[in-house]
Amino acid sequence: MQRRALLSLSAAAPLLATGCALAPSSSTTPTASPTPAAAAPGALQGTGDLGVVIERARGALTLVNTSRREAIDRIEGLGDLSHASVVFSRDERFAYVFGRDGGLTRVDLLERRIAGRVMQAGNSIGGAISADGTLVVAQNYQPGGIKIFDAHTLELLADVPALNSSGERSRVVGLADLPQRRFIYSLFDAEAICIADCSDPRQPRITTLNGIGRQPYDALLSPSGRHYIAGLFGEDGLAMVDLWEDAPRARRILAGYGRGQQPLPVYKMPHLRGWAVAGRHAYLPAIGRHEVLVVDTHSWQEVGRIPVAGQPVFVMARPDGRQVWVNFSVPDYHRVQVIDTPSQQVVQTIEPGRAVLHMEFTPRGEAVWISCRDDNRVQVYDTHTRQRQASLAVDAPSGIFFTARAQRMGF
Amino acid sequence: MVRTALLSLACALLATAAGAQTAPEPTPERAAQLVRMVRQDCGSCHGMRLTGGLGPALTREALAAKPPEYLAAVITHGIPGTPMPPWSALLQGSEALWIARQLAGGFPNETNRSPAP
């Protein structure tokens, strides 16, 4: 292994020298002094082992390399990044960052600089990119609705208000991309799911499914792109749409899962976006309960509940589906639990640090990166041995996003 | 109805707030924790800069018409039917009132946030 590293180093050296000579000037400051093989901006390299970590308080991204488990640069000037999220271009070179303040920023991961930025709303929490990579869509709280942009130029192509039955704008949650330049999203302030067909992106056609249930707060798209599931804050249950039906409709699943029980205070809305579908089961956070709900995706019946250490926020399946990792809201957010899916048991509780906000698996799932906001660390664990492999200094880290998301629907 | 309940809660709190007027200020360490909690954890819904999100904006301008005692009651008891939870399990009443007063005056920024290298 040592030999291979040396060989690739020596092979890279001439390229590196050329690359440096041609490298565009970078306005960013390295977070660590990279070793020669860590490729200076402009040097020939791929992007498959790159990712970004949101530094929410600083308004910056830390660029990381997941093979080397290193922070390699920082890109600043992205505004208010509380609840920021990221999608990637198909070629995995550009990250699109959606900021709370409505900023949409296109970041070039190879040149390590901002390649475009627009202020597109007053208050925003996320977005999606079309399968063909040409459209980026932002989901907004203020003003409510979605906006459709050209992915290369960030030119606004359409502004689609999301309206409730009184004609008032609704906040949009749970936006996901669908095949054929379509997007799906839920309206927090209306009991509705919308599907936007953007085949003509300047004139999107919207199909609205009404009566889905109260206060959808987030949603997920199954890995196949077939099922869209929105969590409901206003009642025990979830809304599910089978997108392979000729005329998709919303139906209720897990209705009244907590019947007769007093829900606990919900200190943080769970997120459904994750690899929450493992094999034939979906693993979902229960609202107001210290439980992960298990649903059979063939029958859509509840088949189990797994007691966990707090209110689940992210319930994420390792890409192979063998494990599901769970983190929690305050006051239990120093813990992460690992569920073994064949036995549906919590097999380990680890304490990576204070205020665990997010987790991200490497593409094949051999490692998981965990942000510990109050320790200013990102911890990297081997998912098989659950031993810590690395610890990176990152300023108040929150979301972690690896470029492999570019190849997944719903991410 | 929710509003009436909150108002009576606020009144009840006002009654006890007479005592809270003289309640000790949080220690500097606890105050820093509370500031961090509001910015970072309440920030999940209200935004780290308190400009709103799933929850409303908590800027001084947005809260101008709301007495601190009312805000403290909301923090302590939550607002049923909305995502605002009761924080009474994690905060003392005097701490909720301290937070409410800070919000009404324009909430402080975090100090002492250890910067990463």
Side-chain angles (χ1 to χ4, degrees):
Chain A
M1 187 166 148
Q2 187 74 6
R3 177 167 301 185
R4 185 182 300 177
L6 282 172
L7 277 173
S8 60
L9 235 175
S10 60
L15 291 171
L16 200 65
T18 321
C20 285
L22 297 170
S25 62
S26 169
S27 60
T28 55
T29 317
T31 51
S33 48
T35 54
L44 194 60
Q45 70 168 110
T47 53
D49 56 2
L50 297 184
V52 298
V53 181
I54 303 283
E55 293 182 299
R56 67 204 303 265
R58 194 186 189 106
L61 298 182
T62 285
L63 180 65
V64 298
N65 180 308
T66 57
S67 295
R68 303 174 57 87
R69 301 184 200 114
E70 283 177 357
I72 52 178
D73 214 336
R74 173 182 281 138
I75 293 116
E76 312 227 32
L78 284 87
D80 181 353
L81 294 187
S82 45
H83 203 292
S85 70
V86 176
V87 297
F88 293 96
S89 61
R90 288 181 86 232
D91 64 1
E92 301 184 7
R93 173 170 177 174
F94 295 96
Y96 296 89
V97 185
F98 303 89
R100 165 79 69 174
D101 52 10
L104 165 58
T105 311
R106 185 171 182 256
V107 175
D108 186 330
L109 301 182
L110 291 179
E111 295 190 344
R112 304 182 189 176
R113 64 181 181 87
I114 290 172
R117 179 168 162 82
V118 291
M119 292 303 291
Q120 58 88 25
N123 198 305
S124 178
I125 57 152
I129 186 165
S130 60
D132 65 2
T134 61
L135 304 175
V136 169
V137 176
Q139 64 177 26
N140 294 327
Y141 279 167
Q142 187 56 248
I146 62 167
K147 286 189 179 176
I148 303 164
F149 297 88
D150 180 298
H152 296 286
T153 63
L154 299 188
E155 178 197 357
L156 178 66
L157 302 177
D159 178 358
V160 184
L163 302 178
N164 67 17
S165 52
S166 316
E168 294 159 346
R169 285 209 181 215
S170 167
R171 290 167 281 188
V172 173
V173 299
L175 174 71
D177 56 287
L178 298 176
Q180 298 170 294
R181 297 182 115 193
R182 292 180 307 150
F183 296 87
I184 186 167
Y185 51 97
S186 301
L187 309 188
F188 182 79
D189 305 298
E191 301 184 1
I193 289 172
C194 297
I195 299 170
D197 181 339
C198 302
S199 40
D200 176 358
R202 291 184 187 276
Q203 309 234 301
R205 286 176 300 148
I206 313 296
T207 304
T208 301
L209 312 177
N210 286 308
I212 64 153
R214 292 193 59 228
Q215 295 176 317
Y217 60 86
D218 192 22
L220 71 90
L221 189 69
S222 61
S224 66
R226 175 170 179 175
H227 296 107
Y228 178 79
I229 300 170
L232 301 174
F233 180 78
E235 54 194 279
D236 286 344
L238 300 100
M240 191 273 287
V241 180
D242 181 349
L243 292 152
W244 289 5
E245 287 177 351
D246 289 338
R249 64 202 163 86
R251 55 191 250 229
R252 200 70 50 84
I253 61 170
L254 301 184
Y257 59 75
R259 195 169 282 125
Q261 297 167 10
Q262 183 66 30
L264 299 165
V266 178
Y267 294 119
K268 184 174 180 178
M269 282 291 184
H271 291 64
L272 297 179
R273 198 67 54 94
W275 306 69
V277 178
R280 66 180 284 163
H281 295 127
Y283 293 80
L284 302 164
I287 277 274
R289 285 156 230 291
H290 293 181
E291 289 174 341
V292 168
L293 306 171
V294 189
V295 191
D296 184 313
T297 58
H298 295 190
S299 65
W300 294 101
Q301 298 296 308
E302 176 183 329
V303 293
R305 293 184 189 193
I306 302 168
V308 290
Q311 296 173 18
V313 174
F314 280 97
V315 177
M316 304 179 95
R318 200 172 71 179
D320 63 356
R322 174 65 200 266
Q323 299 171 345
V324 168
W325 289 56
V326 186
N327 77 318
F328 305 100
S329 82
V330 64
D332 300 300
Y333 59 176
H334 57 295
R335 296 195 186 99
V336 167
Q337 290 195 308
V338 184
I339 294 168
D340 171 65
T341 54
S343 62
Q344 297 194 354
Q345 303 277 326
V346 171
V347 290
Q348 194 153 359
T349 303
I350 58 175
E351 298 195 357
R354 293 178 296 158
V356 170
L357 291 194
H358 197 214
M359 304 173 285
E360 177 88 330
F361 292 96
T362 50
R364 294 211 216 175
E366 78 285 353
V368 62
W369 289 45
I370 299 175
S371 53
C372 304
R373 185 195 68 204
D374 288 1
D375 283 332
N376 296 308
R377 310 296 299 177
V378 169
Q379 310 283 31
V380 183
Y381 285 83
D382 179 311
T383 56
H384 292 274
T385 65
R386 266 97 74 183
Q387 297 301 303
R388 198 171 75 189
Q389 294 178 308
S391 179
L392 288 76
V394 181
D395 189 0
S398 55
I400 306 175
F401 303 89
F402 296 157
T403 53
R405 284 175 174 248
Q407 317 310 336
R408 298 290 311 187
M409 265 187 282
F411 278 80
Chain B
M1 187 173 143
V2 166
R3 181 164 300 186
T4 337
L6 276 172
L7 275 175
S8 53
L9 271 174
C11 291
L13 210 109
L14 262 174
T16 51
Q21 297 282 350
T22 54
E25 290 274 303
T27 63
E29 291 80 13
R30 183 60 179 160
Q33 283 174 2
L34 294 176
V35 168
R36 183 170 185 85
M37 182 180 171
V38 171
R39 288 273 170 200
Q40 302 285 342
D41 295 320
C42 303
S44 300
C45 280
H46 296 281
M48 204 170 43
R49 297 180 187 173
L50 307 179
T51 51
L54 208 54
L58 300 180
T59 54
R60 183 171 51 184
E61 300 73 35
L63 298 178
K66 307 270 201 304
E69 290 75 17
Y70 170 84
L71 297 176
V74 170
I75 294 168
T76 303
H77 303 286
I79 304 180
T82 77
M84 179 65 185
W87 291 87
S88 49
L90 300 176
L91 288 174
Q92 306 273 337
S94 61
E95 292 175 334
L97 190 59
W98 183 83
I99 289 171
R101 288 189 177 135
Q102 301 299 313
L103 287 169
F107 204 75
N109 283 310
E110 284 183 63
T111 49
N112 301 331
R113 201 168 50 75
S114 62

Coordinates of all heavy atoms in Angstrom, one line a residue, chain A residues 264-265 267 285-286 288-293 305-315 324-339 345-352 356:
Chain A
L264 N -44.3 13.1 22.8 CA -43.3 13.9 23.5 C -43.1 15.2 22.7 O -43.4 15.3 21.6 CB -42.0 13.1 23.5 CG -42.1 11.7 24.3 CD1 -40.9 10.9 23.9 CD2 -42.2 12.0 25.8
P265 N -42.6 16.2 23.4 CA -42.2 17.4 22.7 C -41.2 17.1 21.6 O -40.3 16.3 21.8 CB -41.6 18.3 23.8 CG -41.9 17.7 25.1 CD -42.2 16.3 24.8
Y267 N -38.3 18.5 19.7 CA -37.4 19.6 19.7 C -36.7 19.9 18.4 O -36.1 21.0 18.2 CB -36.3 19.4 20.8 CG -36.8 19.3 22.2 CD1 -36.7 18.2 22.9 CD2 -37.4 20.4 22.7 CE1 -37.2 18.1 24.2 CE2 -38.0 20.4 24.0 CZ -37.8 19.2 24.8 OH -38.3 19.2 26.0
P285 N -38.4 7.9 11.1 CA -38.4 8.5 12.5 C -39.9 8.7 12.9 O -40.7 9.2 12.1 CB -37.7 9.8 12.4 CG -37.8 10.2 10.9 CD -37.9 8.9 10.1
A286 N -40.2 8.3 14.1 CA -41.6 8.6 14.6 C -41.5 10.0 15.2 O -40.6 10.4 15.8 CB -41.9 7.6 15.7
G288 N -42.4 12.6 17.8 CA -42.9 12.7 19.2 C -42.7 11.4 20.0 O -43.3 11.2 21.0
R289 N -41.9 10.4 19.4 CA -41.7 9.2 20.1 C -40.2 8.8 19.9 O -39.6 9.1 18.9 CB -42.5 8.1 19.5 CG -44.0 8.2 19.9 CD -44.9 7.5 18.9 NE -46.0 8.5 18.7 CZ -46.9 8.9 19.6 NH1 -46.9 8.3 20.7 NH2 -47.8 9.8 19.3
H290 N -39.7 8.1 20.9 CA -38.3 7.6 20.8 C -38.3 6.3 20.1 O -37.9 5.3 20.6 CB -37.7 7.5 22.2 CG -37.5 8.9 22.8 ND1 -36.9 9.1 24.1 CD2 -37.8 10.1 22.4 CE1 -36.9 10.3 24.4 NE2 -37.5 11.0 23.4
E291 N -38.7 6.3 18.8 CA -38.9 5.1 18.1 C -38.5 5.3 16.6 O -38.7 6.4 16.1 CB -40.3 4.6 18.1 CG -40.8 4.0 19.4 CD -42.2 3.7 19.5 OE1 -43.0 4.2 18.6 OE2 -42.6 2.9 20.4
V292 N -38.0 4.2 16.0 CA -37.9 4.1 14.6 C -38.9 3.2 14.1 O -39.0 2.0 14.6 CB -36.4 3.7 14.1 CG1 -36.4 3.4 12.7 CG2 -35.4 4.8 14.5
L293 N -39.7 3.6 13.1 CA -40.8 2.7 12.6 C -40.3 2.0 11.4 O -39.6 2.5 10.6 CB -42.0 3.6 12.2 CG -42.5 4.6 13.2 CD1 -43.6 5.5 12.6 CD2 -43.2 3.8 14.4
R305 N -41.2 -1.7 15.3 CA -40.8 -0.5 15.9 C -39.6 -0.7 16.7 O -39.5 -1.7 17.4 CB -41.8 0.1 16.9 CG -43.1 0.5 16.3 CD -44.0 1.1 17.3 NE -45.3 1.3 16.8 CZ -46.3 2.0 17.3 NH1 -46.0 2.6 18.5 NH2 -47.4 2.2 16.8
I306 N -38.6 0.1 16.6 CA -37.3 -0.1 17.3 C -37.1 1.0 18.3 O -37.0 2.2 17.9 CB -36.2 -0.1 16.3 CG1 -36.4 -1.2 15.2 CG2 -34.8 -0.3 17.0 CD1 -35.5 -1.2 14.0
P307 N -37.1 0.7 19.6 CA -36.9 1.8 20.6 C -35.4 2.3 20.4 O -34.5 1.6 20.2 CB -37.0 1.1 21.9 CG -37.6 -0.3 21.6 CD -37.2 -0.6 20.2
V308 N -35.3 3.6 20.4 CA -34.0 4.3 20.3 C -33.8 5.3 21.4 O -34.7 5.5 22.2 CB -33.8 4.9 18.9 CG1 -33.7 3.9 17.8 CG2 -35.0 5.9 18.6
A309 N -32.6 5.9 21.4 CA -32.2 6.6 22.6 C -32.7 8.1 22.7 O -32.4 8.8 23.6 CB -30.6 6.7 22.6
G310 N -33.5 8.5 21.8 CA -34.0 9.8 21.8 C -34.9 10.1 20.6 O -35.4 9.1 20.0
Q311 N -35.2 11.4 20.3 CA -36.0 11.7 19.1 C -35.2 11.5 17.9 O -34.2 12.3 17.7 CB -36.5 13.1 19.2 CG -37.4 13.4 20.3 CD -37.7 14.9 20.4 OE1 -37.5 15.6 19.4 NE2 -38.2 15.3 21.5
P312 N -35.5 10.6 17.0 CA -34.6 10.4 15.8 C -34.7 11.6 14.9 O -35.8 12.2 14.7 CB -35.2 9.2 15.1 CG -36.5 8.9 15.8 CD -36.5 9.6 17.1
V313 N -33.6 12.1 14.3 CA -33.6 13.2 13.4 C -33.3 12.6 12.0 O -34.1 12.7 11.1 CB -32.7 14.3 13.8 CG1 -32.6 15.4 12.7 CG2 -33.2 15.0 15.1
F314 N -32.1 12.0 11.9 CA -31.8 11.4 10.6 C -31.8 9.9 10.8 O -31.2 9.4 11.8 CB -30.4 11.8 10.1 CG -30.4 13.1 9.3 CD1 -30.1 14.3 10.0 CD2 -30.8 13.2 8.0 CE1 -30.1 15.5 9.3 CE2 -30.8 14.4 7.4 CZ -30.5 15.5 8.0
V315 N -32.5 9.1 10.0 CA -32.5 7.7 10.0 C -32.0 7.2 8.7 O -32.7 7.3 7.7 CB -33.9 7.1 10.3 CG1 -34.0 5.6 10.3 CG2 -34.5 7.7 11.6
V324 N -28.7 0.6 9.7 CA -29.3 1.9 9.7 C -28.7 2.7 10.9 O -28.7 2.2 12.0 CB -30.9 1.8 9.8 CG1 -31.5 3.1 10.1 CG2 -31.5 1.1 8.6
W325 N -28.3 3.9 10.6 CA -27.7 4.8 11.6 C -28.7 5.9 11.9 O -29.3 6.4 11.0 CB -26.3 5.4 11.1 CG -25.2 4.3 11.0 CD1 -25.3 3.2 10.3 CD2 -24.0 4.4 11.7 NE1 -24.1 2.5 10.5 CE2 -23.2 3.2 11.3 CE3 -23.3 5.3 12.5 CZ2 -21.9 3.0 11.8 CZ3 -22.0 5.1 13.0 CH2 -21.4 3.9 12.6
V326 N -28.7 6.2 13.2 CA -29.7 7.1 13.7 C -29.1 8.2 14.6 O -28.3 7.8 15.5 CB -30.8 6.4 14.5 CG1 -31.9 7.4 14.9 CG2 -31.4 5.2 13.8
N327 N -29.4 9.4 14.4 CA -29.0 10.5 15.3 C -30.2 11.1 15.9 O -31.3 10.9 15.5 CB -28.0 11.5 14.7 CG -28.7 12.5 13.8 OD1 -29.5 12.1 13.0 ND2 -28.3 13.7 13.9
F328 N -30.0 12.0 16.9 CA -31.1 12.5 17.7 C -31.1 14.0 17.9 O -30.1 14.6 17.7 CB -31.0 11.8 19.1 CG -31.0 10.3 19.0 CD1 -29.8 9.6 19.1 CD2 -32.1 9.6 18.7 CE1 -29.7 8.2 18.9 CE2 -32.1 8.2 18.5 CZ -30.9 7.5 18.7
S329 N -32.3 14.4 18.3 CA -32.4 15.9 18.6 C -31.8 16.2 20.0 O -31.6 15.2 20.8 CB -33.8 16.3 18.5 OG -34.5 16.0 19.7
V330 N -31.7 17.5 20.3 CA -31.4 17.9 21.7 C -32.5 17.3 22.6 O -33.6 17.2 22.1 CB -31.4 19.4 21.7 CG1 -32.8 20.0 21.4 CG2 -30.9 19.9 23.0
P331 N -32.2 16.7 23.7 CA -31.0 16.8 24.5 C -30.1 15.5 24.3 O -29.2 15.3 25.0 CB -31.4 16.8 25.9 CG -32.7 16.1 25.9 CD -33.3 16.3 24.6
D332 N -30.5 14.6 23.3 CA -29.8 13.4 23.2 C -28.8 13.4 22.0 O -28.5 12.3 21.4 CB -30.8 12.2 23.1 CG -31.7 12.1 24.3 OD1 -31.2 11.9 25.4 OD2 -32.9 12.4 24.1
Y333 N -28.4 14.6 21.6 CA -27.6 14.6 20.3 C -26.1 14.4 20.5 O -25.4 14.9 19.6 CB -28.1 15.8 19.5 CG -27.9 17.2 20.0 CD1 -28.2 18.3 19.2 CD2 -27.4 17.4 21.3 CE1 -28.0 19.6 19.7 CE2 -27.3 18.7 21.8 CZ -27.6 19.8 20.9 OH -27.4 21.1 21.4
H334 N -25.7 13.8 21.5 CA -24.3 13.4 21.6 C -24.2 11.9 21.2 O -23.1 11.3 21.3 CB -23.8 13.6 23.0 CG -24.6 12.9 24.1 ND1 -25.9 13.2 24.4 CD2 -24.3 11.9 24.9 CE1 -26.4 12.5 25.3 NE2 -25.4 11.6 25.7
R335 N -25.3 11.3 20.9 CA -25.3 9.8 20.6 C -25.7 9.6 19.2 O -26.4 10.3 18.5 CB -26.4 9.1 21.5 CG -26.2 9.1 23.0 CD -27.1 8.1 23.6 NE -27.0 8.2 25.0 CZ -27.9 8.8 25.8 NH1 -28.9 9.4 25.2 NH2 -27.7 8.9 27.1
V336 N -25.2 8.4 18.7 CA -25.6 7.8 17.4 C -25.8 6.4 17.7 O -25.0 5.7 18.4 CB -24.5 8.1 16.4 CG1 -24.8 7.2 15.1 CG2 -24.4 9.5 16.0
Q337 N -26.9 5.8 17.1 CA -27.2 4.4 17.3 C -27.1 3.7 16.0 O -27.6 4.2 14.9 CB -28.5 4.2 18.0 CG -28.4 4.6 19.5 CD -29.6 4.1 20.3 OE1 -30.7 4.3 20.0 NE2 -29.3 3.5 21.5
V338 N -26.7 2.4 16.0 CA -26.6 1.6 14.8 C -27.6 0.5 15.0 O -27.5 -0.3 15.9 CB -25.1 1.0 14.7 CG1 -25.0 0.3 13.4 CG2 -24.1 2.2 14.7
I339 N -28.5 0.4 14.0 CA -29.4 -0.7 13.9 C -29.0 -1.7 12.9 O -28.6 -1.4 11.8 CB -30.8 -0.2 13.5 CG1 -31.4 0.8 14.6 CG2 -31.8 -1.3 13.2 CD1 -32.6 1.6 14.1
Q345 N -32.3 -4.8 15.5 CA -31.9 -4.4 16.9 C -30.9 -3.3 16.8 O -30.1 -3.3 15.9 CB -31.2 -5.6 17.5 CG -32.1 -6.9 17.6 CD -33.0 -6.9 18.8 OE1 -32.6 -6.4 19.8 NE2 -34.2 -7.5 18.6
V346 N -30.9 -2.5 17.9 CA -29.8 -1.6 18.0 C -28.6 -2.4 18.5 O -28.7 -3.1 19.5 CB -30.1 -0.5 19.1 CG1 -28.9 0.4 19.4 CG2 -31.2 0.4 18.6
V347 N -27.5 -2.4 17.7 CA -26.4 -3.2 18.1 C -25.2 -2.3 18.7 O -24.3 -2.9 19.3 CB -25.8 -4.0 16.9 CG1 -26.8 -5.1 16.5 CG2 -25.5 -3.1 15.7
Q348 N -25.3 -1.0 18.6 CA -24.3 -0.2 19.2 C -24.7 1.2 19.3 O -25.5 1.7 18.5 CB -23.0 -0.2 18.3 CG -21.8 0.3 19.0 CD -20.5 -0.2 18.5 OE1 -20.5 -1.0 17.6 NE2 -19.4 0.2 19.1
T349 N -24.3 1.8 20.4 CA -24.5 3.2 20.7 C -23.1 3.8 20.8 O -22.3 3.4 21.6 CB -25.3 3.5 22.0 OG1 -26.5 2.8 21.9 CG2 -25.5 4.9 22.2
I350 N -22.8 4.8 19.9 CA -21.6 5.5 20.0 C -21.8 7.0 20.4 O -22.9 7.5 20.2 CB -20.7 5.4 18.7 CG1 -21.5 5.9 17.5 CG2 -20.4 3.9 18.5 CD1 -20.7 5.9 16.3
E351 N -20.7 7.6 20.9 CA -20.8 9.0 21.3 C -19.7 9.7 20.6 O -18.6 9.9 21.1 CB -20.7 9.1 22.8 CG -21.8 8.4 23.5 CD -22.0 8.8 25.0 OE1 -21.2 9.6 25.5 OE2 -23.0 8.3 25.6
P352 N -20.0 10.2 19.4 CA -18.9 10.8 18.5 C -18.5 12.2 19.0 O -17.4 12.6 18.7 CB -19.5 10.9 17.1 CG -20.8 10.1 17.2 CD -21.2 10.1 18.6
V356 N -24.4 16.1 17.5 CA -24.3 15.5 16.2 C -25.5 16.0 15.3 O -26.7 15.8 15.7 CB -24.4 13.9 16.4 CG1 -24.6 13.3 15.0 CG2 -23.2 13.4 17.1

